[in-house]
Each structure stands twice: as structure tokens, then as C-alpha cells.
């Protein structure tokens, strides 16, 4: 791969050389087979790249349609509809890959086989897992899957997002919203703060006497100065931020009474959005790829599991060093991983990759902020490339904020087209 790019290498882009190498019969005379589990930002991208490289690839996805989390905070705040987040898999099915609508229920790494919910077995030479996250319903006392029907997490987009949006729209005048953010690591580090911003915008413009209390299980967070500067300017009377040091960690919830407790206080909420701690999607743990942290350690150049040879883990499920759990990261990791798999199957040494992540957050309509990073393998992890990346300027005119909001929207259109066609 050309250094400084997260795109597939020239070999993969050209396709011909890789395809020719792969056209050679593999062991036993059959071409190598790759199975990809999960057709989200990571898995769908990896499967597309592999198909473009001439690989026999089967993509297994449990859902009928993909509903993107990216942009879903705007849905919560009534700024866009859930349909703007929803993508079909039709175009993916036309790329030469085999799309199987099923849940992968078990992986047998010794036999190199994935079993689906209906008992069908898929053999693989290499397996890529991109299952996203599971919510840890055992982590906050009182908060389980049933409690999430009263106090939505909305951290997997879809019915939960719509539920939270409805609850917010129905909040009484002078009501209280409680939003909790978990400790690191979790899906989308700036996500809770973008959500707080857009809920605050909703309250300011629609229910001006209502309040938002943001309870945080940590003291520092992504783009903190940018968020706090914006909050002081836009939402001084709406949003109260409570960091860990001031008692922000949620110790218990009571969904029947709509009460959220910390070690220091008890808050009665009209709307409570509890974002619990998370771990890698269940199939990653079943396959033996997750360690005690609940996440999956990987080789930073190939995304091959450190625990189970022949299985690669990308996206939110992976421990990717300094690289945050984002859609942009999952998409970049998928491209690097797909090329590494093509190289490994062809008996070539994978190249030393560079990966990029940029994350835009919307603080209000027409007010965006961003953070960017470049990452490379270093000491067995993905590390920041010194001097690369950065955050948008703290003191920027409104025109710059408007431009950043437009960039974010434009990135969303581009990446979803790249992933889903
Ligand atoms: C509110 C919010 C806002 C966000 N905003 C941004 C943003 O602005 N920018 C950004 O870059 N990122 C953002 N993110 C993060 C982004 O959504 C995730 O990082 C991204 O979706 C991770 O991609 P993934 O492929 O790892 O997992 P996912 O996109 O979750 O895909 C996993 C797929 O695997 C499928 N699956 C899981 N298990 C199985 C199985 N056993 N069998 C078959 N299928 C299975 C699931 O159905 C799903 O389709 C945001 C997240 C949230 C919650």
C-alpha cells in the first residue's frame, strides 16, 4: 500500500495482479474462500474490496437492512428521519460477493468453519469478523435489555433511536433529561457529547425550560475543549455537565421510577438515555478472539487476531490501539485488512499500512467540529503518527463551523455510498 493512505494498495486497486495470483488453484484445487461476518461499515467494506480483488467471498449479515449510528444523534433531536440512516444491501449483492442473510452462531477455528443459525456450515480459508458491539447489560445495576425499553441507550441505531426521539419529543415543559456516558473504550468516543449537544439544541429551541444533565464516567473526553466552548456559548442554561470527579458515574438505575443514581445524588428523569459499557459483538467472543477486556486484540498490520490464527477482526470489536471505534476507522481497517488477506492468500508479505480517521460532530445545525488522526503499526499496536492529524481550531468564526457541519454531512454521503453502493 502506498504509505500515507488508508485506501487499498495499488495492487488491489488495479485488481488484475491480485486476481491473477488468486486465480491459481489453492490447496486441494479450490480457490481460497473468505467469509466475512457483519455487513456494517467494516464488514461490508472488506467484502467489497475482497470481491474486487477476485476473491470468493461470502458476507453473512443478520439484519435485513443496515441502520447507521453515524448521524443518528440528529434523529434523536428530530433534525432528520431514521430513513436517512437506512441502507439496503441490494447494491452490495451486485459486486460479485455472495450475501447470506443469517446470523453466524458459531465459529470452529480448528475446522475453519462458520455455522449459521439454521445449521448451515460455511468453510473458510480466512475469516473476517466485523460484528460491532454488544451492550454490557450486566455493568450498570438495574440496567438490562428490559430497562432499555424505558431508558433507551440508542447506541445501536434503529428502534432504540426512534424510541429516544419520541420520548424527547414528548418531554414536559420544565422536564429533565439525563444522559450518561460510559468509561473508555466504547463505540464512538465523541458520540455522547454530540448527542448531549443536539439534545440541548432540541430543548433550547422546543422546550426552553427543560434541562439536560450529562453524567460522565470519566473526566476527559474527545474534542473536550471544542465541545465545552460551544456549550458555554450555545447552551449555558440548558446543559449541566457532571464529570467523574464530581460524581458523574452512574451507580444504579430504577427504570420503573425513572431514577438515575450516582454515588452522590439521585436524579428523577423525564427522559433517561443510559449508554452502558460495551464489548465486542458476541460472535467474536464465541470464536475465542476476545480477551478479558471483552475486546479483540489484533496484529496492527493485518488485523489478524492475536488469539486465533486465520481470523481477522476489524471495526469496533477490535482493540486498535490509538485508533478510535468509528465508522471511518472501520472502513479504513477493512481496506487494510482485505488487502492483507489477499496478500496472505497469495503467499505475499502484507505491507506496512497507514490508516486515517476523521470524525465530525454536530453541536448544533450548521455548527460542526472535527478531529483527525493518522495511525501506523508501532510496538504491536496502532499508534498515532506524530505531527499528523489534529482538531479543528478552538477560536473559529461561524463560517468555519458551518463549513465543518457541511463537511460532516458530505462525508456521511460519501462513506455510506462507498460501503453500501
Ligand atoms: C450515536 C452514534 C454516533 C456515531 N457517529 C459517528 C460518526 O460521526 N463518525 C464515525 O466515524 N462513527 C460514528 N459512530 C460509530 C460507528 O457507528 C461505528 O464505529 C461503526 O458502526 C462500526 O462499524 P462495525 O463494522 O465495527 O460495526 P457495525 O456497523 O455495528 O456493523 C456490525 C454488523 O454486524 C452484524 N452482525 C453482528 N453479529 C453478527 C452475527 N453473529 N451474524 C451476522 N451478522 C452479525 C450486525 O447486524 C451489523 O450489521 C457513531 C456511533 C454512535 C452510536
Amino acid at each position: 500500500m502506498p504509505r500515507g493512505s488508508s485506501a487499498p494498495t495499488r495492487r488491489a486497486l488495479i485488481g488484475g495482479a491480485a486476481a491473477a495470483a488468486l486465480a491459481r488453484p489453492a490447496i486441494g484445487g479450490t480457490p481460497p474462500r473468505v467469509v466475512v461476518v457483519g455487513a456494517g461499515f467494516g464488514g461490508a467494506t472488506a467484502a467489497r474490496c475482497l470481491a474486487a480483488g477476485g476473491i470468493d467471498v461470502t458476507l453473512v449479515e443478520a439484519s435485513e437492512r443496515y441502520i447507521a449510528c453515524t448521524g443518528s444523534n440528529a434523529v434523536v433531536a428530530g433534525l432528520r428521519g431514521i430513513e436517512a440512516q437506512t441502507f439496503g444491501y441490494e447494491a452490495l449483492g451486485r459486486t460479485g460477493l455472495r450475501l447470506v442473510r443469517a446470523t453466524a452462531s458459531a465459529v470452529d477455528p480448528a475446522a475453519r468453519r462458520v455455522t449459521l443459525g439454521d445449521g448451515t456450515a460455511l468453510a473458510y480459508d480466512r475469516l473476517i469478523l466485523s460484528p460491532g458491539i454488544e451492550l454490557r447489560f450486566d455493568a450498570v445495576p438495574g440496567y438490562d435489555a428490559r430497562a432499555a425499553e424505558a431508558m433507551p441507550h440508542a447506541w445501536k441505531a434503529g428502534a432504540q433511536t426512534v424510541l429516544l426521539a419520541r420520548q424527547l419529543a414528548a418531554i414536559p415543559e420544565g422536564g429533565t433529561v439525563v444522559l450518561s456516558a460510559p468509561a473508555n473504550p466504547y463505540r464512538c468516543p465523541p458520540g455522547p457529547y454530540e448527542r448531549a449537544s443536539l439534545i440541548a439544541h432540541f430543548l433550547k429551541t422546543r422546550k426552553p425550560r427543560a434541562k439536560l444533565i450529562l453524567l460522565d464516567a470519566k473526566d476527559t473526553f474527545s474534542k473536550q475543549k471544542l465541545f465545552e466552548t460551544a456549550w458555554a456559548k450555545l447552551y449555558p442554561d440548558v446543559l449541566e455537565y457532571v464529570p467523574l470527579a464530581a460524581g458523574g458515574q452512574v451507580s444504579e438505575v430504577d427504570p420503573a421510577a425513572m431514577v438515575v443514581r450516582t454515588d452522590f445524588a439521585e436524579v428523577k428523569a423525564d427522559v433517561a438515555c443510559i449508554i452502558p459499557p460495551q464489548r465486542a459483538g458476541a460472535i467474536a467472543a464465541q470464536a475465542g478472539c476476545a480477551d478479558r477486556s471483552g475486546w479483540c486484540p489484533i496484529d496492527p498490520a493485518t488485523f489478524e487476531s492475536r488469539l486465533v490464527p486465520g481470523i481477522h477482526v476489524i471495526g469496533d470489536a477490535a482493540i486498535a490501539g490509538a485508533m478510535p471505534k468509528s465508522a471511518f476507522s472501520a472502513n479504513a481497517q477493512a481496506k487494510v485488512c482485505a488487502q492483507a488477506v489477499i496478500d496472505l492468500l497469495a503467499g505475499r508479505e502484507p505491507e506496512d499500512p497507514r490508516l486515517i480517521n476523521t470524525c465530525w460532530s454536530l453541536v448544533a445545525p450548521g455548527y460542526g467540529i472535527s478531529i483527525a488522526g493518522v495511525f501506523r503499526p508501532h510496538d504491536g499496536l496502532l499508534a498515532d503518527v506524530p505531527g499528523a492529524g489534529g482538531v479543528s481550531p478552538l477560536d473559529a468564526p461561524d463560517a468555519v463551523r458551518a463549513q465543518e457541519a457541511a463537511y460532516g454531512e458530505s462525508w456521511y454521503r460519501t462513506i455510506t455510498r462507498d460501503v453500501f453502493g
Side-chain angles (χ1 to χ4, degrees):
M1 169 176 303
R3 290 185 178 224
S5 164
S6 68
T9 67
R10 202 167 143 265
R11 276 204 302 266
L13 286 170
I14 293 167
L22 290 158
R24 284 197 316 262
I27 308 153
T30 52
R33 295 150 302 182
V34 177
V35 173
V36 180
V37 174
F41 282 101
T45 307
R48 258 179 182 279
C49 292
L50 288 162
I55 298 278
D56 178 331
V57 53
T58 303
L59 174 60
V60 181
E61 168 56 49
S63 303
E64 286 291 309
R65 291 168 307 156
Y66 185 76
I67 305 185
C69 289
T70 308
S72 67
N73 285 326
V75 178
V76 168
L79 298 171
R80 62 202 276 170
I82 195 77
E83 61 288 345
Q85 306 297 121
T86 307
F87 300 88
Y89 293 118
E90 297 76 19
L92 263 181
R94 291 192 290 270
T95 60
L97 58 81
R98 199 174 306 106
L99 179 61
V100 176
R101 292 272 172 65
T103 299
S105 50
V107 175
D108 180 342
R112 299 215 168 196
R113 197 169 49 216
V114 178
T115 304
L116 308 182
D118 65 359
T120 308
L122 300 175
Y124 65 82
D125 295 289
R126 294 250 162 201
L127 172 64
I128 299 178
L129 298 179
S130 188
I133 56 155
E134 293 299 329
L135 298 151
R136 282 186 46 207
F137 282 125
D138 56 340
V140 176
Y143 196 71
D144 55 16
R146 196 145 167 256
E149 294 306 312
M151 297 177 156
H153 51 78
W155 220 239
K156 287 190 176 189
Q160 279 273 305
T161 316
V162 172
L163 175 63
L164 181 57
R166 280 209 195 109
Q167 290 184 347
L168 193 61
I171 194 172
E173 293 292 350
T176 300
V177 182
V178 176
L179 166 62
S180 79
N184 293 321
Y186 61 93
R187 159 174 281 181
C188 194
Y193 312 97
E194 179 186 72
R195 178 167 292 177
S197 306
L198 294 183
I199 290 177
H201 169 78
F202 175 87
L203 298 179
K204 182 179 160 181
T205 52
R206 307 275 288 278
K207 308 277 166 136
R209 289 191 294 111
K211 294 273 174 291
L212 167 65
I213 302 171
L214 171 52
L215 300 173
D216 202 343
K218 54 197 174 301
D219 287 319
T220 57
F221 58 87
S222 175
K223 295 183 252 188
Q224 184 161 3
K225 284 209 172 91
L226 285 162
F227 274 115
E228 288 181 340
T229 302
W231 293 345
K233 180 177 167 190
L234 300 173
Y235 311 124
D237 303 323
V238 182
L239 198 169
E240 180 190 347
Y241 176 65
V242 186
L244 175 67
Q249 169 110 44
V250 175
S251 55
E252 188 181 11
V253 298
D254 179 347
M258 286 299 284
V259 164
V260 180
R261 295 192 184 93
T262 67
D263 285 345
F264 300 96
E266 182 170 297
V267 188
K268 176 90 174 73
D270 295 287
V271 175
C273 170
I274 304 295
I275 306 170
Q278 296 145 39
R279 57 184 162 82
I283 192 70
Q286 192 286 327
C289 296
D291 68 13
R292 288 175 62 191
S293 71
W295 304 103
C296 305
I298 44 92
D299 177 308
T302 62
F303 290 86
E304 185 161 6
S305 166
R306 292 253 185 230
L307 304 178
V308 187
I311 303 183
H312 301 249
V313 185
I314 56 174
D316 287 356
I319 297 170
M323 225 177 161
K325 297 184 188 302
S326 75
F328 199 129
S329 295
N331 177 261
Q333 292 169 9
K335 291 172 181 175
V336 167
C337 177
Q339 184 57 46
V341 165
I342 288 172
D343 285 339
L344 290 166
L345 289 172
R348 288 189 299 262
E349 179 72 14
E351 294 178 37
D352 181 29
R354 300 290 178 273
L355 298 95
I356 302 168
N357 175 63
T358 304
C359 179
W360 287 270
S361 299
L362 199 61
V363 180
Y367 189 121
I369 57 177
S370 68
I371 186 166
V374 183
F375 308 89
R376 69 185 169 111
H378 182 69
D379 280 348
L381 286 171
L382 280 160
D384 278 302
V385 172
V391 291
S392 53
L394 198 54
D395 298 313
D398 289 351
V400 170
R401 298 292 179 231
Q403 201 174 38
E404 293 237 57
Y407 286 158
E409 187 53 35
S410 162
W411 166 80
Y412 179 74
R413 283 197 301 275
T414 307
I415 196 164
T416 50
R417 177 130 201 198
D418 182 50
V419 177
F420 301 107

